[in-house]
Amino acid sequence: MRPVGLWPHRRLFASIVRRELSNRYVGSLGGGLWALVQPLLLLAIYSFVFRVIFGVRFPELEQHSFVVFVASVLWPWMAFSEGLQRGTQAIAGNASLIKKVAFPHELLVYAAVGATFVLHLFGYVVVLVGLALTGETLHLAALPLMLAAWLTLFALSCGLAFVTAPLQVFLKDVEHILTPTLMVLFYGTPILYPMSRVPESVSWVMQLNPLAHILDPMRQGLLQGRFDNSGHLLVALLGALVLAWACKRMFNRLSPHFEDFA
Amino acid sequence: MPEQAGPLIRIEHLSKIYPIASTPRERFQTLVALLSGRCPPRHFNALDDINLEVRRGESLGLVGVNGAGKSTLLKAIAGVVKPSAGSIHVHGRISALLELGAGFHPQYTGRQNVHLATALLGLSERETRDKMDSILAFADIGEHIDQPIKHYSSGMVVRLGFAVATVVRPDLLITDEVLAVGDESFQRKCVAWMRRFLDDGGTILLCAHSMFQIQKLCHKAAWIHGGRLRAYGDAMQVTKDYLGWHDERAADKPAAASKRVGGPSATYATTALALNGLDVDEPVEVPMGGELVVSGRIFSPDGRMPVVAIGCVRIGGAAIYGLSSDMESHPLQPCGNSEFAFRIAFGPLELLPGRYEIRAHAMDPEAVRHFDDVIRKLEVTGATRELGSCRLQHRWLAPAADGAAESSAPKPTPQEARQR
């Protein structure tokens, strides 16, 4: 985490990010719009299953719809989990570059995670604006909180990718572990339900999940204008930064060997 | 390029260890070892305690058998490989052409790929825009530049790769046998660019299996063997020693004792070369139409009969004529001391007055490789108003009676025409 050291490589970084973004949609007619389709579809499915079929209703929704309740944290979650997955492949997937050109390898991780975040942040804004236009009340006062939450997720995603990306270079098992882990984490994080609905007997386990302390305050702030657990988010932010720093050290230790193993 | 004290590159005690891990289990053990800072369980030394300096303007060639560590050393200097021990100090801008078109993405157009490639080379957006025209001009692939690279022929990809490399003005150019790429005319372009780069004071560090390239382009050579620096010094000497080592190895099993009579060099070499009996550095004068006798001796390290190649070039390098003794199956005369003598007469000399070089090359008995390049100067004297380098046999003819300009040769008789 030495941004000063990376400053001379800013143009290279920009090029890699641009390529990351266009790599995903190069040759497709829809381009970046496809980034919006998957979360939108998920949102539609959850709404249909939980609201229409199960008839789910809980007081925490207050005047809000289930759609906006899920949407307010679905995009941040998508950015985090997809960012981590892309970041995991960032080194192994760019072996040809690493073997032939000298440059700081962490740029690849930042670019893979960053590009994913840019896409989903854009989708998030579009969806929220759309929902606001349909009459949902959103609290603009939550803006600083939202930014802090996105930053925390980015640090967390990068930090974890700093561990998984080098491991993936050595052991291909990582991606196979990561996919089911993220699936469990999705249902173990208050995305489809509020934290307050979790029974006392299991809530202590869920409190260990840092994502709960990022996404829950985010939703409360945006939908209800309540900031009583923003402190949790601040702790999560500091924790994510420390984690990223520690993971970066491990990354640095393995980075000289990427050229050999990637 | 600013003059700087001290070497361009200083390598001190450079070592590189590569872990050996083929199975996932071994990879895991290696990972654990690397993380805990221990030495991996199985490894090999790709580079072992290399000490080397490259000075400005003193191009260096690396020689050695496959797997000796040449490419690893180049990559280490380029920064792609991190040393396991020791240090590399670089003063100046390096550009590494380890692979032309490295990082090109097949889905993108040539132009888009140029942008990423220049970013990798450290150029700014503005510099890239300024140099785009000269890149396109050098690559000369026309409209294809806006096509995805996947539609390119492999030749076009390397042309574009080389063109990108030409826009940076590095102090040191590192290249791994990619000097001449593409078709004949593009190869000439590459070589011309290379020569200009060297003339402008550039330094190259190259790894090649062609001793000729190394002798031509480099002042110094380093022989890497088994990850260690086996010899370093004058490019001519090191490449000769290296080739000698190969010959020794090839001849090692049969009659190891009978070969190597000794002598300063262990390879085929031209030990004497005289024009009309004069073995001197000054130009030897021969009148136009006179006779030129080229004589000399070739040393053979293994006692087998070598081949001599003799050529005549104009000052400035234009080749006029060349031949080698094997073309006409002419045997060289053994003259003791593992030397073989030759003597050849040219004449009457049809060269026009002016300065020429007579070159002799010692070649192996198979006439595959040539080992040296010994030059004597020739001055052809005389006065004539003819143009060019040499006189062509000619005679003026009376124009044909029917005035048909094209039929200067006698027309075939009807019988001859039928027979054809």
Side-chain angles (χ1 to χ4, degrees):
Chain A
M1 299 292 276
R2 282 178 304 117
V4 180
L6 295 178
W7 180 245
H9 301 283
R10 61 194 180 279
R11 186 187 163 223
L12 175 59
F13 178 67
S15 293
I16 297 177
V17 170
R18 208 174 308 134
R19 198 168 72 144
E20 264 295 326
L21 285 172
S22 49
N23 264 0
R24 299 178 192 180
Y25 306 105
V26 68
S28 73
L29 208 56
L33 282 180
W34 291 115
L36 209 56
V37 169
Q38 202 204 351
L40 273 180
L41 200 61
L42 270 180
L43 187 62
I45 293 169
Y46 293 138
S47 308
F48 178 73
V49 171
F50 288 96
R51 216 182 44 165
V52 179
I53 297 185
F54 293 161
V56 167
R57 219 156 257 294
F58 39 85
E60 285 83 353
L61 279 181
E62 296 177 359
Q63 80 280 23
H64 293 287
S65 68
F66 185 73
V67 170
V68 74
F69 178 83
V70 174
S72 60
V73 288
L74 184 62
W75 267 262
W77 158 264
M78 292 288 288
F80 164 78
S81 67
E82 201 190 314
L84 177 54
Q85 281 177 311
R86 300 267 189 187
T88 302
Q89 298 294 345
I91 301 297
N94 283 296
S96 59
L97 212 53
I98 285 175
K99 282 174 190 289
K100 297 291 176 192
V101 188
F103 66 100
H105 297 153
E106 60 264 37
L107 288 184
L108 292 173
V109 175
Y110 288 129
V113 178
T116 311
F117 269 72
V118 166
L119 278 177
H120 286 305
L121 188 56
F122 173 75
Y124 191 49
V125 171
V126 169
V127 166
L128 287 188
V129 167
L131 286 169
L133 290 178
T134 61
E136 294 286 351
T137 33
L138 302 175
H139 295 263
L140 277 179
L143 199 59
L145 181 84
M146 303 300 275
L147 289 177
W150 276 91
L151 185 64
T152 311
L153 287 170
F154 181 72
L156 202 59
S157 201
C158 278
L160 293 174
F162 278 139
V163 174
T164 54
L167 291 183
Q168 171 71 14
V169 171
F170 288 83
L171 303 164
K172 302 293 168 204
D173 309 59
V174 174
E175 57 185 316
H176 302 296
I177 299 171
L178 192 63
T179 311
T181 306
L182 282 173
M183 194 182 77
V184 171
L185 199 59
F186 175 76
Y187 291 101
T189 303
I191 294 168
L192 298 173
Y193 50 87
M195 197 61 190
S196 47
R197 300 295 298 175
V198 179
E200 205 68 42
S201 53
V202 287
S203 85
W204 66 274
V205 184
M206 299 201 44
Q207 294 287 348
L208 296 176
N209 177 3
L211 287 169
H213 302 290
I214 302 168
L215 298 183
D216 224 36
M218 207 174 177
R219 177 155 56 198
Q220 279 190 2
L222 187 67
L223 297 191
Q224 290 146 15
R226 276 176 45 214
F227 302 101
D228 44 332
N229 52 6
S230 310
H232 292 212
L233 180 62
L234 215 58
V235 174
L237 175 58
L238 288 175
L241 288 175
V242 171
L243 178 88
W245 174 81
C247 294
K248 179 70 201 327
R249 287 179 60 94
M250 171 176 161
F251 183 87
N252 289 348
R253 179 156 260 186
L254 292 174
S255 168
H257 304 281
F258 293 161
E259 169 265 331
D260 189 21
F261 281 88
Chain B
M1 263 168 249
E3 261 329 296
Q4 258 182 322
L8 207 51
I9 302 174
R10 195 166 68 237
I11 299 171
E12 287 170 331
H13 305 293
L14 172 67
S15 295
K16 175 67 185 179
I17 288 170
Y18 276 124
I20 302 173
S22 40
T23 64
R25 198 187 149 79
E26 277 181 328
R27 289 171 81 93
F28 181 70
Q29 288 166 343
T30 304
L31 175 65
V32 172
L34 291 176
L35 275 176
S36 58
R38 281 182 291 115
C39 203
R42 286 172 61 207
H43 62 264
F44 88 103
N45 292 345
L47 293 175
D48 191 3
D49 197 27
I50 302 268
N51 291 283
L52 206 59
E53 275 189 1
V54 178
R55 304 192 158 274
R56 210 164 276 273
E58 219 179 64
S59 295
L60 176 72
L62 297 182
V63 300
V65 294
N66 291 330
K70 303 182 299 278
S71 294
T72 308
L73 181 56
L74 286 190
K75 283 181 166 188
I77 295 169
V80 175
V81 164
K82 304 283 181 303
S84 305
S87 61
I88 301 173
H89 300 279
V90 177
H91 310 277
R93 183 172 184 171
I94 301 189
S95 170
L97 291 186
L98 294 172
E99 186 182 292
L100 289 177
F104 277 4
H105 191 292
Q107 293 274 21
Y108 294 129
T109 68
R111 198 184 295 274
Q112 288 167 328
N113 271 302
V114 166
H115 276 280
L116 181 79
T118 56
L120 282 167
L121 288 169
L123 259 63
S124 71
E125 198 79 50
R126 192 208 176 103
E127 284 173 300
T128 304
R129 261 200 310 275
D130 292 348
K131 303 226 161 133
M132 189 55 102
D133 285 342
S134 70
I135 294 176
L136 298 190
F138 198 97
D140 192 22
I141 55 173
E143 320 222 306
H144 294 287
I145 192 68
D146 291 312
Q147 298 277 321
I149 293 256
K150 64 179 172 184
H151 297 316
Y152 283 26
S153 70
S154 56
M156 280 156 67
V157 174
V158 290
R159 286 170 82 124
L160 192 59
F162 198 96
V164 168
T166 58
V167 300
V168 287
R169 299 286 317 157
D171 297 313
L172 179 78
L173 180 76
I174 299 179
T175 144
D176 194 351
E177 310 223 42
V178 285
L179 289 173
V181 295
D183 57 23
E184 180 63 30
S185 63
F186 192 74
Q187 284 191 15
R188 280 188 208 171
K189 228 170 175 176
C190 296
V191 170
W193 181 84
M194 214 68 179
R195 190 159 296 154
R196 202 162 55 244
F197 172 73
L198 289 174
D199 289 347
D200 293 350
T203 310
I204 59 171
L205 181 52
L206 109 124
C207 171
H209 286 288
S210 155
M211 294 305 116
F212 185 67
Q213 274 185 348
I214 290 191
Q215 290 171 354
K216 263 257 145 27
L217 296 167
C218 304
H219 307 86
K220 300 276 181 168
W223 177 4
I224 311 287
H225 189 77
R228 300 187 72 99
L229 187 63
R230 180 154 169 166
Y232 171 79
D234 177 62
M236 220 51 155
Q237 193 57 48
V238 173
T239 48
K240 272 185 189 171
D241 291 350
Y242 173 66
L243 288 174
W245 175 81
H246 271 287
D247 290 335
E248 224 171 285
R249 222 168 54 141
D252 231 4
K253 285 124 214 172
S258 73
K259 57 178 223 56
R260 284 222 54 161
V261 186
S265 71
T267 65
Y268 299 93
T270 309
T271 48
L273 179 65
L275 304 185
N276 287 348
L278 298 168
D279 191 349
V280 291
D281 285 336
E282 292 77 48
V284 172
E285 287 189 9
V286 177
M288 186 175 177
E291 192 177 61
L292 173 68
V293 175
V294 179
S295 58
R297 291 191 305 275
I298 305 288
F299 171 77
S300 166
D302 53 6
R304 296 190 298 150
M305 187 197 295
V307 164
V308 64
I310 296 165
C312 176
V313 301
R314 183 106 207 184
I315 293 289
I320 294 172
Y321 183 70
L323 84 168
S324 64
S325 58
D326 70 303
M327 290 176 187
E328 295 169 357
S329 305
H330 176 78
L332 271 54
Q333 288 290 316
C335 59
N337 247 350
S338 293
E339 288 185 321
F340 291 75
F342 63 88
R343 218 167 124 79
I344 181 169
F346 296 98
L349 207 54
E350 299 280 277
L351 292 172
L352 299 188
R355 291 205 155 194
Y356 299 89
E357 283 178 2
I358 299 297
R359 297 183 176 177
H361 313 285
M363 298 180 80
D364 55 9
E366 293 75 26
V368 173
R369 292 173 295 164
H370 72 251
F371 292 85
D372 61 2
D373 197 359
V374 178
I375 298 173
R376 292 289 175 265
K377 295 194 185 89
L378 172 69
E379 172 124 31
V380 177
T381 57
T384 174
R385 289 171 58 203
E386 290 158 283
L387 308 174
S389 302
C390 75
R391 178 179 289 160
L392 297 182
Q393 294 285 347
H394 59 269
R395 62 191 195 282
W396 295 93
L397 302 174
D402 60 359
E406 73 274 14
S407 60
S408 57
K411 280 195 174 159
T413 63
Q415 276 100 339
E416 278 173 340
R418 262 199 305 278
Q419 277 163 0
R420 279 183 199 171

